[in-house]
Amino acid sequence: MSALEDLYDAILDGRRSEVAGLVQQALDAGVAPTAIVEETLRPAMGEVGDLFSRGEFFLPQLLLSASAMKIATETLRPHLVGTSDADRQEAVVIGTVQGDVHDIGKNLVAATLEGAGYRVVDIGVDASPGKYVEAVRANDPAVVGFSALLSTTMVQIPATIKALEDAGLRKGRVFAVGGAPVTQRNADEWGVEVYAADAGTAVRVINQALAQRR
Ligand code: B1M
């Protein structure tokens, strides 16, 4: 069995003590950090979610897998951050919207943006519209990112955008959205410039959107 197959099973089974070593083995074998995320870690968490939906996994198992996944992403983080010589100076304010505590994907997007040279201000999970307004006012970011993992919380994205518009903080900024239930169609409806299905795409499309502004 390869390190990646072992890693998939270790995430599924929540075998936290094995995860960092398996990630390192995959890196040593030359697997790209983004490939480890998109081809192994994310599908493993997808299966965890499916098992949970079918009632075959319960909350403690979901939490154990999430905790194993956190160890994997923390092990990968130095390989995502500092991968570029670019020092763009532009700030990105990013968070998971109000009512939502899922942060694994958001943290990966934040680390990948940092790796691309952005100054990332991560406002965490369950970030209220007021918290976004405060952070955008304080940091004057070129980009504002909204992550949502629940169909019940994705509605907080347009609500937060409205709060930023009402505060006069929308103009001149690129807004980016993502997270499992969010689609390009949603982004279009909300008048958002960037939708991305994964962290690598987020960075690429944000770079393009900013280049068009210059
Ligand atoms: Co939750 N959960 N969860 N959960 N959970 C989902 C999302 C779910 C699909 C599982 C399922 O039932 N199949 C389901 C949502 C159903 C729905 O709304 N349609 C669900 C549910 C129901 C719940 C609870 C309600 C369960 C309960 O309590 N009964 C509860 C809600 C808590 C809350 O937020 N209020 C809950 C809780 C949790 C845990 C705390 C146990 C844990 C989160 C731990 C943490 O994040 N610290 C958890 C987990 C781990 C999951 C699943 C299994 C995995 C999520 C994950 O980490 N994926 C998830 C199932 C799934 O997603 N298939 C599920 C890996 C990660 C790398 O991918 O987050 O998609 P992802 O991020 C990607 C892209 O989406 C994108 O790039 C990332 C990297 O490639 N992306 C962006 C993300 N944000 C972006 C922002 C961008 C651009 C791209 O621009 C700014």
Side-chain angles (χ1 to χ4, degrees), residues 158-184:
T160 308
I161 291 174
K162 169 128 189 0
L164 289 165
E165 280 168 358
D166 290 350
L169 296 167
R170 171 70 172 104
K171 214 166 160 231
R173 300 182 210 284
V174 167
F175 280 10
V177 294
V182 179
T183 62
Q184 178 67 57

Side-chain angles (χ1 to χ4, degrees), residues 150-168:
L150 299 170
S151 38
T152 48
T153 57
M154 59 187 273
V155 293
Q156 288 300 323
I157 297 178
T160 308
I161 291 174
K162 169 128 189 0
L164 289 165
E165 280 168 358
D166 290 350

Side-chain angles (χ1 to χ4, degrees), residues 40-198:
T40 300
L41 297 175
R42 202 170 156 194
M45 288 311 283
E47 184 168 351
V48 169
D50 291 345
L51 288 164
F52 181 70
S53 305
R54 296 203 300 268
E56 292 172 45
F57 257 30
F58 297 97
L59 204 52
Q61 288 154 301
L62 188 61
L63 282 167
L64 260 185
S65 291
S67 169
M69 175 76 180
K70 282 228 156 184
I71 295 170
T73 51
E74 279 310 307
T75 312
L76 280 172
R77 200 181 135 75
H79 301 272
L80 295 168
V81 177
T83 48
S84 155
D85 293 335
D87 186 8
R88 312 183 62 101
Q89 296 301 327
E90 287 142 319
V92 180
V93 163
I94 189 167
T96 302
V97 294
Q98 189 161 41
D100 198 323
V101 302
H102 295 84
D103 67 354
I104 294 170
K106 183 263 296 166
N107 292 348
L108 282 166
V109 174
T112 311
L113 282 164
E114 236 179 278
Y118 289 94
R119 182 169 66 81
V120 174
V121 180
D122 186 342
I123 59 171
V125 297
D126 190 18
S128 66
K131 195 165 187 186
Y132 267 94
V133 166
E134 205 178 292
V136 170
R137 209 168 258 143
N139 295 284
D140 189 23
V143 182
V144 185
F146 308 84
S147 182
L149 264 286
L150 299 170
S151 38
T152 48
T153 57
M154 59 187 273
V155 293
Q156 288 300 323
I157 297 178
T160 308
I161 291 174
K162 169 128 189 0
L164 289 165
E165 280 168 358
D166 290 350
L169 296 167
R170 171 70 172 104
K171 214 166 160 231
R173 300 182 210 284
V174 167
F175 280 10
V177 294
V182 179
T183 62
Q184 178 67 57
R185 196 168 163 188
N186 297 134
D188 294 341
E189 278 168 13
W190 301 333
V192 162
E193 291 81 1
V194 172
Y195 160 75
D198 59 67

